[in-house]
Amino acid sequence: MNYKRAIMIVCLVAVCCNAQELAFRAKVFDSETREAVSNVEIVASFRDVNFAKGDGWKFTEKVQKTDEGGVACFSGSSSSGFAECLFKGNGEYYKSLPVAVEGGKGADADAGASRFFVPKKWVVTNDVMIALKRVVNPIPLRMKCCNIKLKDDMSAACKGVLSYDLMCGDWLPPFGNGQVADVEFRRLPHEDLGEVLNVNGKPRRMGRDSVLIRFLGADNGLVQCQSDPSATLRIREAPVDGYVQEHSIWFMIDKNLRGRKSDDYNAAFAFRVRTKRNERGEIVEAYYGKIYGNPQLNNVGSVIKGVWFMYYLNPESLDRNLEWDMKTNLLPGVKPMAYWGKLMP
């Protein structure tokens, strides 16, 4: 038997048969007060593997309650050094998103160690931080996942512009029956970013293809809001100001000739549309909403065939509350939807 292959098999068997300890602390706090949350149950799922028995990956759950300092301590077997940790919700606080825990190999894995080396105990250098958002005033909202895929590039299929009516939840003609263009998606010209050589020494072009998102009308726009990565309620209330009319999304071929996109599932934006002011300059009518995740391109390389985004809208004028009840969608005939497989308020 090949020597390297034999080492590989021995190491894999060791991974499958030995118990490697993954220990860590989860610190739980209120996202708004930043105070520790005690006496709540936190669930940790430890990923283990036993290919020798043909079982593949397995997850073992452990449950701990936080102490007075908001800390829950976990220890479990994980041959992969990986676990996920979350709060399942209790009526007072919303469920959190799972937070990944990845252990390192530590000082035992020196520079000459095999890449299959697995320590007896994984090294976790940071505490797991779980931010909880309190349930305050959930209300019904209008929400929809908007996904349009054209046959050709936007520049040819729609003269480079798609318009959407956020209130009725539809594209404007000829792609839907929307009546008011609250936001438009404008295909920008391709940007040539120069030439680089690939691994074979052949010249290749870098480039960027973008779509400009523009909220139409004076005082309308969007603003990016910061939130804790573990929080499911990304935006409770729309900001009073800070709105800008434009935001771009893109696909590019970078200097390493790799495709990159502006996708960001953790992003969150509040928006304001149909704003009106009186003669004193005061806002007397406006509608607020939010978008979870950075809107995405439907593209095949540099061919942009449309866009994808998910939004929530409060249909009550001047009401900035965006805490969704996760049950009621006020858009007729549209069922409540999950964002990236998860129902988020």
Side-chain angles (χ1 to χ4, degrees), residues 237-300:
E237 186 178 65
V240 174
D241 51 28
Y243 295 89
V244 296
Q245 283 195 295
E246 297 179 348
H247 175 71
S248 65
I249 54 178
W250 46 265
F251 167 82
M252 70 176 296
I253 299 296
D254 65 15
K255 62 181 181 180
N256 297 313
L257 297 178
R258 294 178 180 174
R260 292 170 48 206
K261 300 180 75 172
S262 56
D263 298 356
D264 183 357
Y265 296 105
N266 292 318
F269 301 85
F271 63 80
R272 182 171 67 196
V273 295
R274 307 191 186 190
T275 306
K276 295 180 181 178
R277 295 182 182 269
N278 60 19
E279 62 278 2
R280 295 187 297 273
E282 301 165 332
I283 293 178
V284 294
E285 184 177 353
Y287 299 89
Y288 295 88
K290 60 184 178 181
I291 297 172
Y292 278 176
N294 201 23
Q296 298 179 28
L297 298 174
N298 284 326
N299 69 295
V300 180

Short mmCIF file of all heavy atoms in Angstrom, two decimals, residues 237-300:
data_model
loop_
_atom_site.label_atom_id
_atom_site.label_comp_id
_atom_site.label_asym_id
_atom_site.label_seq_id
_atom_site.Cartn_x
_atom_site.Cartn_y
_atom_site.Cartn_z
N GLU A 237 -37.52 49.53 14.02
CA GLU A 237 -38.13 50.81 13.67
C GLU A 237 -37.28 51.52 12.64
O GLU A 237 -36.05 51.56 12.76
CB GLU A 237 -38.28 51.67 14.93
CG GLU A 237 -39.02 52.96 14.72
CD GLU A 237 -39.18 53.76 16.01
OE1 GLU A 237 -38.15 54.20 16.57
OE2 GLU A 237 -40.33 53.92 16.46
N ALA A 238 -37.91 52.08 11.65
CA ALA A 238 -37.18 52.80 10.61
C ALA A 238 -36.60 54.09 11.17
O ALA A 238 -37.24 54.76 11.98
CB ALA A 238 -38.11 53.11 9.43
N PRO A 239 -35.40 54.47 10.76
CA PRO A 239 -34.81 55.73 11.23
C PRO A 239 -35.61 56.94 10.74
O PRO A 239 -36.36 56.87 9.76
CB PRO A 239 -33.41 55.72 10.59
CG PRO A 239 -33.16 54.30 10.21
CD PRO A 239 -34.49 53.71 9.90
N VAL A 240 -35.42 58.07 11.43
CA VAL A 240 -36.10 59.31 11.06
C VAL A 240 -35.46 59.91 9.81
O VAL A 240 -36.15 60.41 8.92
CB VAL A 240 -36.06 60.32 12.23
CG1 VAL A 240 -36.63 61.67 11.80
CG2 VAL A 240 -36.83 59.78 13.42
N ASP A 241 -34.13 59.84 9.74
CA ASP A 241 -33.44 60.44 8.60
C ASP A 241 -32.24 59.59 8.19
O ASP A 241 -32.09 58.46 8.65
CB ASP A 241 -33.01 61.88 8.93
CG ASP A 241 -32.25 61.95 10.25
OD1 ASP A 241 -31.60 60.94 10.62
OD2 ASP A 241 -32.31 62.99 10.93
N GLY A 242 -31.41 60.12 7.31
CA GLY A 242 -30.24 59.40 6.82
C GLY A 242 -30.47 58.68 5.51
O GLY A 242 -29.58 57.96 5.04
N TYR A 243 -31.61 58.88 4.88
CA TYR A 243 -31.95 58.15 3.66
C TYR A 243 -31.22 58.73 2.44
O TYR A 243 -31.13 59.94 2.27
CB TYR A 243 -33.47 58.19 3.43
CG TYR A 243 -34.24 57.48 4.51
CD1 TYR A 243 -34.66 58.15 5.67
CD2 TYR A 243 -34.52 56.12 4.41
CE1 TYR A 243 -35.34 57.49 6.67
CE2 TYR A 243 -35.21 55.46 5.41
CZ TYR A 243 -35.61 56.15 6.55
OH TYR A 243 -36.28 55.48 7.54
N VAL A 244 -30.71 57.83 1.61
CA VAL A 244 -30.07 58.22 0.35
C VAL A 244 -30.83 57.55 -0.79
O VAL A 244 -31.39 56.46 -0.63
CB VAL A 244 -28.58 57.82 0.31
CG1 VAL A 244 -27.80 58.56 1.39
CG2 VAL A 244 -28.40 56.32 0.47
N GLN A 245 -30.82 58.18 -1.94
CA GLN A 245 -31.66 57.70 -3.04
C GLN A 245 -31.08 56.51 -3.78
O GLN A 245 -31.82 55.73 -4.37
CB GLN A 245 -31.95 58.83 -4.03
CG GLN A 245 -33.01 59.82 -3.54
CD GLN A 245 -33.52 60.69 -4.67
OE1 GLN A 245 -32.77 61.49 -5.23
NE2 GLN A 245 -34.79 60.55 -4.98
N GLU A 246 -29.75 56.33 -3.75
CA GLU A 246 -29.13 55.33 -4.62
C GLU A 246 -28.28 54.33 -3.85
O GLU A 246 -27.67 54.66 -2.83
CB GLU A 246 -28.27 56.03 -5.68
CG GLU A 246 -29.07 56.91 -6.61
CD GLU A 246 -28.20 57.61 -7.65
OE1 GLU A 246 -26.96 57.59 -7.50
OE2 GLU A 246 -28.76 58.20 -8.59
N HIS A 247 -28.26 53.13 -4.39
CA HIS A 247 -27.43 52.05 -3.85
C HIS A 247 -27.13 51.10 -5.02
O HIS A 247 -28.02 50.77 -5.80
CB HIS A 247 -28.18 51.32 -2.74
CG HIS A 247 -27.46 50.12 -2.21
ND1 HIS A 247 -26.32 50.20 -1.44
CD2 HIS A 247 -27.72 48.78 -2.33
CE1 HIS A 247 -25.91 48.98 -1.11
NE2 HIS A 247 -26.74 48.10 -1.64
N SER A 248 -25.88 50.67 -5.14
CA SER A 248 -25.52 49.81 -6.28
C SER A 248 -25.22 48.39 -5.83
O SER A 248 -24.72 48.15 -4.73
CB SER A 248 -24.31 50.38 -7.02
OG SER A 248 -23.16 50.37 -6.20
N ILE A 249 -25.53 47.44 -6.70
CA ILE A 249 -25.18 46.04 -6.52
C ILE A 249 -24.40 45.61 -7.76
O ILE A 249 -24.62 46.16 -8.86
CB ILE A 249 -26.41 45.15 -6.29
CG1 ILE A 249 -27.45 45.34 -7.40
CG2 ILE A 249 -27.04 45.44 -4.94
CD1 ILE A 249 -28.69 44.45 -7.25
N TRP A 250 -23.49 44.64 -7.62
CA TRP A 250 -22.57 44.40 -8.72
C TRP A 250 -22.06 42.96 -8.75
O TRP A 250 -22.12 42.22 -7.77
CB TRP A 250 -21.38 45.35 -8.64
CG TRP A 250 -20.79 45.46 -7.26
CD1 TRP A 250 -21.07 46.41 -6.32
CD2 TRP A 250 -19.84 44.57 -6.65
NE1 TRP A 250 -20.36 46.16 -5.17
CE2 TRP A 250 -19.59 45.04 -5.34
CE3 TRP A 250 -19.17 43.42 -7.08
CZ2 TRP A 250 -18.72 44.41 -4.46
CZ3 TRP A 250 -18.29 42.78 -6.20
CH2 TRP A 250 -18.08 43.28 -4.92
N PHE A 251 -21.51 42.61 -9.91
CA PHE A 251 -20.72 41.40 -10.13
C PHE A 251 -19.43 41.83 -10.80
O PHE A 251 -19.44 42.70 -11.68
CB PHE A 251 -21.47 40.40 -11.03
CG PHE A 251 -20.59 39.28 -11.53
CD1 PHE A 251 -20.33 38.18 -10.73
CD2 PHE A 251 -20.00 39.35 -12.78
CE1 PHE A 251 -19.50 37.16 -11.16
CE2 PHE A 251 -19.17 38.32 -13.24
CZ PHE A 251 -18.93 37.23 -12.42
N MET A 252 -18.30 41.20 -10.39
CA MET A 252 -17.05 41.60 -11.01
C MET A 252 -16.10 40.43 -11.17
O MET A 252 -16.18 39.43 -10.46
CB MET A 252 -16.37 42.70 -10.18
CG MET A 252 -15.80 42.26 -8.86
SD MET A 252 -14.91 43.60 -7.98
CE MET A 252 -13.55 43.91 -9.11
N ILE A 253 -15.20 40.55 -12.13
CA ILE A 253 -14.04 39.66 -12.27
C ILE A 253 -12.85 40.44 -11.73
O ILE A 253 -12.48 41.47 -12.28
CB ILE A 253 -13.81 39.26 -13.74
CG1 ILE A 253 -15.03 38.51 -14.30
CG2 ILE A 253 -12.56 38.40 -13.85
CD1 ILE A 253 -15.32 37.20 -13.61
N ASP A 254 -12.25 39.95 -10.63
CA ASP A 254 -11.20 40.70 -9.97
C ASP A 254 -9.82 40.38 -10.53
O ASP A 254 -9.68 39.64 -11.52
CB ASP A 254 -11.26 40.48 -8.45
CG ASP A 254 -10.96 39.04 -8.05
OD1 ASP A 254 -10.44 38.26 -8.88
OD2 ASP A 254 -11.24 38.68 -6.89
N LYS A 255 -8.78 40.92 -9.89
CA LYS A 255 -7.41 40.76 -10.39
C LYS A 255 -6.93 39.32 -10.33
O LYS A 255 -5.96 38.96 -11.00
CB LYS A 255 -6.46 41.66 -9.60
CG LYS A 255 -6.38 41.32 -8.13
CD LYS A 255 -5.44 42.28 -7.41
CE LYS A 255 -5.33 41.95 -5.93
NZ LYS A 255 -4.41 42.89 -5.23
N ASN A 256 -7.60 38.48 -9.51
CA ASN A 256 -7.28 37.06 -9.46
C ASN A 256 -8.14 36.25 -10.42
O ASN A 256 -8.12 35.02 -10.39
CB ASN A 256 -7.47 36.53 -8.03
CG ASN A 256 -6.53 37.19 -7.05
OD1 ASN A 256 -5.34 37.31 -7.31
ND2 ASN A 256 -7.06 37.64 -5.92
N LEU A 257 -8.90 36.97 -11.26
CA LEU A 257 -9.81 36.38 -12.26
C LEU A 257 -10.88 35.51 -11.59
O LEU A 257 -11.33 34.51 -12.16
CB LEU A 257 -9.03 35.57 -13.30
CG LEU A 257 -8.05 36.40 -14.14
CD1 LEU A 257 -7.28 35.51 -15.12
CD2 LEU A 257 -8.79 37.51 -14.90
N ARG A 258 -11.28 35.92 -10.41
CA ARG A 258 -12.36 35.25 -9.70
C ARG A 258 -13.61 36.10 -9.72
O ARG A 258 -13.55 37.33 -9.66
CB ARG A 258 -11.95 34.97 -8.25
CG ARG A 258 -10.80 33.97 -8.12
CD ARG A 258 -10.42 33.79 -6.66
NE ARG A 258 -9.33 32.84 -6.52
CZ ARG A 258 -8.72 32.57 -5.38
NH1 ARG A 258 -9.10 33.18 -4.27
NH2 ARG A 258 -7.73 31.69 -5.33
N GLY A 259 -14.77 35.46 -9.81
CA GLY A 259 -16.02 36.18 -9.77
C GLY A 259 -16.40 36.57 -8.35
O GLY A 259 -16.35 35.74 -7.45
N ARG A 260 -16.75 37.81 -8.14
CA ARG A 260 -17.20 38.31 -6.84
C ARG A 260 -18.50 39.06 -7.01
O ARG A 260 -18.75 39.68 -8.05
CB ARG A 260 -16.14 39.23 -6.23
CG ARG A 260 -14.85 38.53 -5.81
CD ARG A 260 -13.78 39.54 -5.44
NE ARG A 260 -14.30 40.56 -4.53
CZ ARG A 260 -13.82 41.79 -4.41
NH1 ARG A 260 -12.82 42.17 -5.17
NH2 ARG A 260 -14.33 42.64 -3.56
N LYS A 261 -19.36 39.00 -5.96
CA LYS A 261 -20.64 39.70 -6.00
C LYS A 261 -20.83 40.51 -4.73
O LYS A 261 -20.17 40.27 -3.72
CB LYS A 261 -21.80 38.70 -6.17
CG LYS A 261 -21.71 37.87 -7.44
CD LYS A 261 -22.88 36.90 -7.56
CE LYS A 261 -24.16 37.58 -7.95
NZ LYS A 261 -25.25 36.63 -8.25
N SER A 262 -21.74 41.44 -4.79
CA SER A 262 -22.03 42.32 -3.65
C SER A 262 -23.00 41.68 -2.66
O SER A 262 -23.48 42.35 -1.74
CB SER A 262 -22.59 43.65 -4.14
OG SER A 262 -23.75 43.44 -4.94
N ASP A 263 -23.30 40.39 -2.82
CA ASP A 263 -24.24 39.70 -1.94
C ASP A 263 -23.81 39.81 -0.49
O ASP A 263 -22.63 39.67 -0.16
CB ASP A 263 -24.35 38.22 -2.30
CG ASP A 263 -24.88 38.00 -3.71
OD1 ASP A 263 -25.23 39.00 -4.36
OD2 ASP A 263 -24.92 36.85 -4.15
N ASP A 264 -24.76 40.06 0.40
CA ASP A 264 -24.50 40.10 1.84
C ASP A 264 -25.80 39.76 2.56
O ASP A 264 -26.69 40.60 2.70
CB ASP A 264 -24.00 41.48 2.25
CG ASP A 264 -23.64 41.56 3.73
OD1 ASP A 264 -23.84 40.56 4.45
OD2 ASP A 264 -23.17 42.62 4.18
N TYR A 265 -25.90 38.51 3.02
CA TYR A 265 -27.14 38.06 3.66
C TYR A 265 -27.34 38.71 5.03
O TYR A 265 -28.45 38.72 5.55
CB TYR A 265 -27.13 36.54 3.80
CG TYR A 265 -27.13 35.82 2.47
CD1 TYR A 265 -25.98 35.21 1.98
CD2 TYR A 265 -28.28 35.80 1.69
CE1 TYR A 265 -25.97 34.58 0.75
CE2 TYR A 265 -28.28 35.16 0.46
CZ TYR A 265 -27.13 34.55 -0.01
OH TYR A 265 -27.13 33.93 -1.24
N ASN A 266 -26.30 39.26 5.63
CA ASN A 266 -26.41 39.88 6.94
C ASN A 266 -26.79 41.36 6.88
O ASN A 266 -27.04 41.97 7.91
CB ASN A 266 -25.09 39.74 7.71
CG ASN A 266 -24.81 38.30 8.09
OD1 ASN A 266 -25.70 37.58 8.50
ND2 ASN A 266 -23.57 37.88 7.92
N ALA A 267 -26.83 41.92 5.68
CA ALA A 267 -27.16 43.34 5.55
C ALA A 267 -28.64 43.57 5.80
O ALA A 267 -29.47 42.67 5.67
CB ALA A 267 -26.78 43.84 4.15
N ALA A 268 -28.98 44.80 6.17
CA ALA A 268 -30.39 45.18 6.36
C ALA A 268 -30.53 46.67 6.05
O ALA A 268 -29.70 47.48 6.46
CB ALA A 268 -30.84 44.88 7.79
N PHE A 269 -31.59 47.01 5.32
CA PHE A 269 -31.83 48.40 4.92
C PHE A 269 -33.25 48.80 5.30
O PHE A 269 -34.20 48.03 5.10
CB PHE A 269 -31.68 48.56 3.41
CG PHE A 269 -30.33 48.19 2.87
CD1 PHE A 269 -30.03 46.87 2.55
CD2 PHE A 269 -29.36 49.16 2.67
CE1 PHE A 269 -28.79 46.52 2.05
CE2 PHE A 269 -28.11 48.81 2.16
CZ PHE A 269 -27.83 47.50 1.85
N ALA A 270 -33.41 50.01 5.82
CA ALA A 270 -34.73 50.62 5.94
C ALA A 270 -34.93 51.53 4.73
O ALA A 270 -33.96 52.07 4.18
CB ALA A 270 -34.83 51.42 7.23
N PHE A 271 -36.19 51.69 4.30
CA PHE A 271 -36.44 52.59 3.18
C PHE A 271 -37.68 53.44 3.46
O PHE A 271 -38.51 53.11 4.32
CB PHE A 271 -36.58 51.83 1.86
CG PHE A 271 -37.74 50.87 1.79
CD1 PHE A 271 -39.03 51.31 1.51
CD2 PHE A 271 -37.53 49.51 1.97
CE1 PHE A 271 -40.09 50.42 1.42
CE2 PHE A 271 -38.59 48.61 1.88
CZ PHE A 271 -39.87 49.07 1.61
N ARG A 272 -37.78 54.54 2.72
CA ARG A 272 -38.94 55.44 2.81
C ARG A 272 -39.40 55.78 1.41
O ARG A 272 -38.58 56.10 0.54
CB ARG A 272 -38.55 56.71 3.58
CG ARG A 272 -39.70 57.70 3.77
CD ARG A 272 -39.29 58.81 4.71
NE ARG A 272 -38.25 59.67 4.15
CZ ARG A 272 -37.51 60.51 4.88
NH1 ARG A 272 -37.67 60.56 6.19
NH2 ARG A 272 -36.60 61.26 4.29
N VAL A 273 -40.71 55.71 1.17
CA VAL A 273 -41.26 56.00 -0.15
C VAL A 273 -42.49 56.90 -0.03
O VAL A 273 -43.08 57.02 1.05
CB VAL A 273 -41.64 54.70 -0.91
CG1 VAL A 273 -40.41 53.86 -1.21
CG2 VAL A 273 -42.65 53.87 -0.11
N ARG A 274 -42.85 57.52 -1.15
CA ARG A 274 -44.06 58.35 -1.30
C ARG A 274 -44.13 59.44 -0.24
O ARG A 274 -45.18 59.70 0.37
CB ARG A 274 -45.32 57.47 -1.29
CG ARG A 274 -45.22 56.34 -2.31
CD ARG A 274 -46.52 55.61 -2.54
NE ARG A 274 -46.29 54.46 -3.42
CZ ARG A 274 -47.25 53.72 -3.97
NH1 ARG A 274 -48.52 54.01 -3.73
NH2 ARG A 274 -46.94 52.70 -4.76
N THR A 275 -43.01 60.10 -0.04
CA THR A 275 -42.90 61.15 0.97
C THR A 275 -43.48 62.47 0.45
O THR A 275 -43.21 62.88 -0.68
CB THR A 275 -41.42 61.37 1.35
OG1 THR A 275 -40.85 60.12 1.74
CG2 THR A 275 -41.30 62.36 2.49
N LYS A 276 -44.27 63.13 1.32
CA LYS A 276 -44.83 64.44 1.00
C LYS A 276 -44.58 65.38 2.18
O LYS A 276 -44.62 64.97 3.33
CB LYS A 276 -46.33 64.35 0.72
CG LYS A 276 -46.69 63.55 -0.52
CD LYS A 276 -48.20 63.51 -0.73
CE LYS A 276 -48.56 62.68 -1.96
NZ LYS A 276 -50.04 62.61 -2.15
N ARG A 277 -44.30 66.64 1.85
CA ARG A 277 -44.11 67.66 2.87
C ARG A 277 -45.15 68.78 2.71
O ARG A 277 -45.65 69.02 1.60
CB ARG A 277 -42.70 68.27 2.77
CG ARG A 277 -41.57 67.29 3.07
CD ARG A 277 -40.22 67.97 3.00
NE ARG A 277 -39.12 67.04 3.24
CZ ARG A 277 -38.59 66.79 4.43
NH1 ARG A 277 -39.06 67.42 5.51
NH2 ARG A 277 -37.60 65.94 4.56
N ASN A 278 -45.46 69.45 3.82
CA ASN A 278 -46.38 70.59 3.75
C ASN A 278 -45.60 71.86 3.45
O ASN A 278 -44.38 71.84 3.24
CB ASN A 278 -47.20 70.72 5.04
CG ASN A 278 -46.31 70.93 6.28
OD1 ASN A 278 -45.15 71.32 6.17
ND2 ASN A 278 -46.89 70.67 7.45
N GLU A 279 -46.29 73.00 3.46
CA GLU A 279 -45.65 74.26 3.11
C GLU A 279 -44.57 74.68 4.12
O GLU A 279 -43.70 75.49 3.81
CB GLU A 279 -46.70 75.37 2.99
CG GLU A 279 -47.47 75.67 4.27
CD GLU A 279 -48.63 74.70 4.50
OE1 GLU A 279 -48.82 73.77 3.69
OE2 GLU A 279 -49.36 74.90 5.49
N ARG A 280 -44.60 74.08 5.31
CA ARG A 280 -43.57 74.37 6.32
C ARG A 280 -42.39 73.40 6.24
O ARG A 280 -41.47 73.45 7.05
CB ARG A 280 -44.18 74.34 7.72
CG ARG A 280 -45.22 75.43 7.96
CD ARG A 280 -45.67 75.44 9.41
NE ARG A 280 -46.33 74.19 9.77
CZ ARG A 280 -47.62 73.95 9.60
NH1 ARG A 280 -48.40 74.89 9.04
NH2 ARG A 280 -48.16 72.82 9.97
N GLY A 281 -42.43 72.49 5.28
CA GLY A 281 -41.35 71.54 5.11
C GLY A 281 -41.46 70.31 5.98
O GLY A 281 -40.53 69.49 6.01
N GLU A 282 -42.55 70.13 6.67
CA GLU A 282 -42.74 68.98 7.54
C GLU A 282 -43.27 67.79 6.75
O GLU A 282 -44.12 67.95 5.85
CB GLU A 282 -43.73 69.32 8.66
CG GLU A 282 -43.31 70.49 9.53
CD GLU A 282 -44.45 71.03 10.38
OE1 GLU A 282 -45.62 70.92 9.95
OE2 GLU A 282 -44.17 71.58 11.46
N ILE A 283 -42.77 66.60 7.05
CA ILE A 283 -43.26 65.40 6.39
C ILE A 283 -44.66 65.08 6.90
O ILE A 283 -44.87 64.88 8.11
CB ILE A 283 -42.32 64.21 6.63
CG1 ILE A 283 -40.97 64.45 5.94
CG2 ILE A 283 -42.94 62.91 6.12
CD1 ILE A 283 -39.96 63.34 6.15
N VAL A 284 -45.63 65.05 6.00
CA VAL A 284 -47.02 64.79 6.38
C VAL A 284 -47.51 63.44 5.85
O VAL A 284 -48.57 62.96 6.23
CB VAL A 284 -47.95 65.91 5.88
CG1 VAL A 284 -47.63 67.21 6.60
CG2 VAL A 284 -47.82 66.09 4.36
N GLU A 285 -46.71 62.84 4.97
CA GLU A 285 -47.06 61.51 4.46
C GLU A 285 -45.78 60.80 4.04
O GLU A 285 -44.91 61.39 3.38
CB GLU A 285 -48.02 61.58 3.27
CG GLU A 285 -48.49 60.22 2.78
CD GLU A 285 -49.50 60.32 1.64
OE1 GLU A 285 -49.95 61.45 1.32
OE2 GLU A 285 -49.84 59.27 1.06
N ALA A 286 -45.64 59.56 4.44
CA ALA A 286 -44.49 58.74 4.04
C ALA A 286 -44.76 57.31 4.48
O ALA A 286 -45.46 57.07 5.47
CB ALA A 286 -43.19 59.26 4.66
N TYR A 287 -44.17 56.36 3.76
CA TYR A 287 -44.35 54.94 4.08
C TYR A 287 -42.97 54.31 4.24
O TYR A 287 -42.06 54.55 3.44
CB TYR A 287 -45.15 54.24 2.98
CG TYR A 287 -46.54 54.82 2.82
CD1 TYR A 287 -46.77 55.89 1.95
CD2 TYR A 287 -47.60 54.32 3.56
CE1 TYR A 287 -48.03 56.44 1.82
CE2 TYR A 287 -48.88 54.87 3.43
CZ TYR A 287 -49.08 55.94 2.58
OH TYR A 287 -50.33 56.48 2.46
N TYR A 288 -42.85 53.51 5.30
CA TYR A 288 -41.55 52.96 5.67
C TYR A 288 -41.53 51.43 5.52
O TYR A 288 -42.56 50.76 5.72
CB TYR A 288 -41.22 53.34 7.11
CG TYR A 288 -41.05 54.83 7.32
CD1 TYR A 288 -42.15 55.64 7.62
CD2 TYR A 288 -39.80 55.43 7.18
CE1 TYR A 288 -41.99 57.01 7.80
CE2 TYR A 288 -39.63 56.79 7.35
CZ TYR A 288 -40.73 57.58 7.66
OH TYR A 288 -40.58 58.94 7.82
N GLY A 289 -40.37 50.93 5.20
CA GLY A 289 -40.21 49.49 5.05
C GLY A 289 -38.77 49.08 5.27
O GLY A 289 -37.92 49.90 5.63
N LYS A 290 -38.49 47.81 5.04
CA LYS A 290 -37.13 47.31 5.22
C LYS A 290 -36.84 46.21 4.21
O LYS A 290 -37.76 45.53 3.72
CB LYS A 290 -36.92 46.79 6.65
CG LYS A 290 -37.84 45.65 7.08
CD LYS A 290 -37.61 45.30 8.55
CE LYS A 290 -38.57 44.19 9.01
NZ LYS A 290 -38.38 43.86 10.45
N ILE A 291 -35.57 46.04 3.92
CA ILE A 291 -35.08 44.99 3.04
C ILE A 291 -34.04 44.20 3.80
O ILE A 291 -33.08 44.77 4.32
CB ILE A 291 -34.46 45.57 1.75
CG1 ILE A 291 -35.52 46.31 0.93
CG2 ILE A 291 -33.83 44.47 0.90
CD1 ILE A 291 -34.95 47.08 -0.25
N TYR A 292 -34.23 42.88 3.90
CA TYR A 292 -33.25 42.02 4.55
C TYR A 292 -32.29 41.45 3.51
O TYR A 292 -32.73 40.85 2.52
CB TYR A 292 -33.94 40.89 5.31
CG TYR A 292 -34.47 41.28 6.68
CD1 TYR A 292 -35.20 40.37 7.44
CD2 TYR A 292 -34.23 42.53 7.22
CE1 TYR A 292 -35.67 40.72 8.70
CE2 TYR A 292 -34.71 42.89 8.47
CZ TYR A 292 -35.42 41.98 9.21
OH TYR A 292 -35.89 42.32 10.46
N GLY A 293 -31.01 41.61 3.76
CA GLY A 293 -30.00 41.16 2.80
C GLY A 293 -29.77 42.21 1.73
O GLY A 293 -30.66 43.01 1.41
N ASN A 294 -28.57 42.24 1.18
CA ASN A 294 -28.31 43.13 0.06
C ASN A 294 -29.02 42.58 -1.16
O ASN A 294 -28.89 41.38 -1.47
CB ASN A 294 -26.80 43.20 -0.20
CG ASN A 294 -26.40 44.45 -0.96
OD1 ASN A 294 -27.11 45.45 -0.94
ND2 ASN A 294 -25.27 44.39 -1.64
N PRO A 295 -29.83 43.38 -1.88
CA PRO A 295 -30.45 42.88 -3.11
C PRO A 295 -29.42 42.23 -4.01
O PRO A 295 -28.26 42.65 -4.06
CB PRO A 295 -31.04 44.14 -3.74
CG PRO A 295 -31.32 45.03 -2.56
CD PRO A 295 -30.20 44.78 -1.61
N GLN A 296 -29.83 41.20 -4.73
CA GLN A 296 -28.89 40.39 -5.52
C GLN A 296 -29.20 40.45 -7.01
O GLN A 296 -30.34 40.65 -7.42
CB GLN A 296 -28.94 38.93 -5.05
CG GLN A 296 -28.55 38.74 -3.61
CD GLN A 296 -28.64 37.28 -3.19
OE1 GLN A 296 -28.50 36.37 -4.01
NE2 GLN A 296 -28.89 37.05 -1.91
N LEU A 297 -28.15 40.22 -7.79
CA LEU A 297 -28.30 40.14 -9.24
C LEU A 297 -28.64 38.71 -9.65
O LEU A 297 -28.11 37.75 -9.08
CB LEU A 297 -26.99 40.54 -9.93
CG LEU A 297 -26.50 41.97 -9.69
CD1 LEU A 297 -25.13 42.13 -10.34
CD2 LEU A 297 -27.48 42.98 -10.26
N ASN A 298 -29.50 38.58 -10.62
CA ASN A 298 -29.67 37.31 -11.33
C ASN A 298 -28.78 37.41 -12.57
O ASN A 298 -29.14 38.05 -13.55
CB ASN A 298 -31.13 37.09 -11.72
CG ASN A 298 -31.98 36.65 -10.55
OD1 ASN A 298 -31.51 35.95 -9.66
ND2 ASN A 298 -33.22 37.10 -10.51
N ASN A 299 -27.62 36.82 -12.48
CA ASN A 299 -26.66 37.00 -13.56
C ASN A 299 -25.99 35.69 -13.95
O ASN A 299 -25.91 34.75 -13.15
CB ASN A 299 -25.58 38.01 -13.16
CG ASN A 299 -24.66 37.48 -12.07
OD1 ASN A 299 -25.10 37.23 -10.95
ND2 ASN A 299 -23.38 37.31 -12.40
N VAL A 300 -25.56 35.65 -15.19
CA VAL A 300 -24.69 34.58 -15.68
C VAL A 300 -23.42 35.28 -16.14
O VAL A 300 -23.35 35.83 -17.23
CB VAL A 300 -25.34 33.81 -16.84
CG1 VAL A 300 -24.40 32.71 -17.32
CG2 VAL A 300 -26.67 33.22 -16.42
#
